[in-house]
Amino acid sequence: MMALKPVMMIRALVLGISAWGVMACSPAADDVEIDTYAFGPDEAEQAMAEVEIPDFTGIPDWRLADPEDLLLIETRRGMVTVELSDEFAPNHAARMRQAVRDGFFDGRDFYRVIDGFVAQGGRGEEADSVDLPQYPVLAGEFRRPTAGISFTAMIDADLYAPVVGHVNGFPAAQSEDGAQTWLIHCPGTVAMARDNGPDTGDVEFYIVIGQGPRHLDRIMSVFGRVIDGMEHVQALNRGDPMVNSGVIADPALRDPILSMRIVADLPEAQRPAYEIMRTDGEAFHAAKAARRNRSAAFFFETPPAVIETCHMPGRVRRVN
């Protein structure tokens, strides 16, 4: 059922991506860097003054990622860290934890990698991947009620949704009436592949490595995002998108998944720890304002004062 075929363009995924803005910071970097290549403190304060400032009383600038939500993908290029989202896709996140703890992914590979689009791995097309009764298909988790989450909207309009913004560092969108919220496809987004039917995903995943394929929002189950090691995903061997939808025919040319682990399962001394900037806090608000207002001397032609959600990911720093 799950073998990738050229006609299955939804499972084959129609993804795309641009430069990924997540950054790992030194644990000593307690001061927020608004934009190291374009802004200094004066520009940041000026940008803050140009937008309405919410009340940030009691909201810290950073949160510590839960080790149970951190997934490590070991590749020969380097380690990739994914933060899972139980808020939006609890069943898909749980399935990934289950399959990781079963050792299912160890020794498999990224068998379909299309430049500017997606790196897809997991189940693959081999004979032993055809029937996996231990991983029954999952109902799609494409959106959720807004009640109970902290959604922080962007200022600027979006082409694909009435409102866009962030939830706990994840880029997200919201319905016009505010009742429904969903995670969107940006660089580094991690989601479950599927067949044509909406409820057909199981253990095959993809990572966006090109321009954000926003047309896949609300029809694919997004369950995580890369928070560290995106350069290693970008370094994976590519397939030819014109041949079998980008599947790399020669297994020797595919990048193997050496192992996948949940950080909570590692000995405490070996666990990487990450802090993620609160996207409903003052520091992130200042960073967004500065990115919208590029007034540094470098810009002899002033860009429009707009910014897309995918260009403003929740920032990350490793703290051990």
Side-chain angles (χ1 to χ4, degrees):
M1 174 185 86
M2 305 301 271
L4 179 69
K5 297 186 174 122
V7 295
M8 291 185 179
M9 291 310 295
I10 295 183
R11 182 170 187 84
L13 298 176
V14 189
L15 303 178
I17 200 164
S18 67
W20 174 236
V22 170
M23 56 186 294
C25 304
S26 163
D30 294 327
D31 294 331
V32 175
E33 295 182 4
I34 300 301
D35 195 328
T36 56
Y37 60 83
F39 290 97
D42 293 340
E43 288 89 349
E45 290 179 9
Q46 178 182 351
M48 283 281 284
E50 295 178 8
V51 296
E52 183 179 353
I53 301 177
D55 181 6
F56 298 113
T57 304
I59 300 177
D61 288 334
W62 299 87
R63 65 175 175 86
L64 184 65
D66 187 338
E68 186 70 15
D69 293 336
L70 295 179
L71 168 62
L72 300 179
I73 306 174
E74 183 185 4
T75 76
R76 62 187 178 187
R77 312 287 181 172
M79 189 70 75
V80 179
T81 306
V82 172
E83 184 181 27
L84 303 174
S85 175
D86 288 302
E87 280 190 304
F88 285 89
N91 294 327
H92 286 73
R95 171 60 55 79
M96 291 299 291
R97 293 188 188 96
Q98 175 192 1
V100 166
R101 286 168 170 152
D102 289 346
F104 172 79
F105 295 109
D106 297 357
R108 296 184 184 269
D109 51 40
F110 288 96
Y111 72 94
R112 178 177 182 263
V113 185
I114 298 178
D115 194 42
F117 184 49
V118 59
Q120 186 169 330
R123 167 185 282 276
E125 294 189 309
E126 286 64 41
D128 66 346
S129 296
V130 175
D131 186 24
L132 297 175
Q134 71 273 37
Y135 304 123
V137 293
L138 297 167
E141 294 177 299
F142 307 129
R143 67 183 84 188
R144 59 152 289 168
T146 299
I149 63 173
S150 177
F151 178 85
T152 305
M154 300 287 284
I155 295 173
D156 303 304
D158 182 73
L159 291 175
Y160 289 90
V163 184
V164 289
H166 297 83
V167 177
N168 277 337
F170 286 84
Q174 201 168 82
S175 58
E176 190 168 6
D177 63 4
Q180 298 287 319
T181 304
W182 56 93
L183 298 183
I184 66 176
H185 284 74
C186 290
T189 288
V190 187
M192 198 70 80
R194 61 174 175 83
D195 284 331
N196 286 341
D199 304 324
T200 53
D202 55 11
V203 287
E204 188 169 358
F205 68 95
Y206 63 87
I207 303 173
V208 177
I209 60 171
Q211 296 292 328
R214 296 287 309 285
H215 54 284
L216 294 179
D217 295 352
R218 290 182 292 174
I219 66 169
M220 307 301 288
S221 298
V222 176
F223 62 80
R225 71 176 182 120
V226 174
I227 62 169
D228 195 13
M230 191 64 193
E231 68 274 18
H232 306 313
V233 184
Q234 293 286 10
L236 299 175
N237 283 336
R238 270 41 170 183
D240 185 344
M242 305 305 294
V243 178
N244 196 17
S245 297
V247 171
I248 302 171
D250 184 354
L253 298 179
R254 301 174 183 174
D255 280 277
I257 297 172
L258 302 179
S259 72
M260 289 177 65
R261 298 289 182 268
I262 302 298
V263 167
D265 297 341
L266 300 177
E268 191 166 351
Q270 298 177 20
R271 297 179 184 179
Y274 294 89
E275 288 185 337
I276 298 171
M277 185 178 285
R278 286 281 300 260
T279 45
D280 55 353
E282 184 173 6
F284 193 70
H285 180 79
K288 288 191 296 184
R291 280 282 182 93
R292 288 186 77 248
N293 298 270
R294 298 181 182 273
S295 57
F298 175 81
F299 295 100
F300 59 86
E301 289 284 353
T302 304
V306 297
I307 185 171
E308 299 178 56
T309 303
C310 286
H311 293 167
M312 198 67 217
R315 296 189 174 185
V316 179
R317 63 186 183 188
R318 183 166 174 172
V319 294
N320 80 348

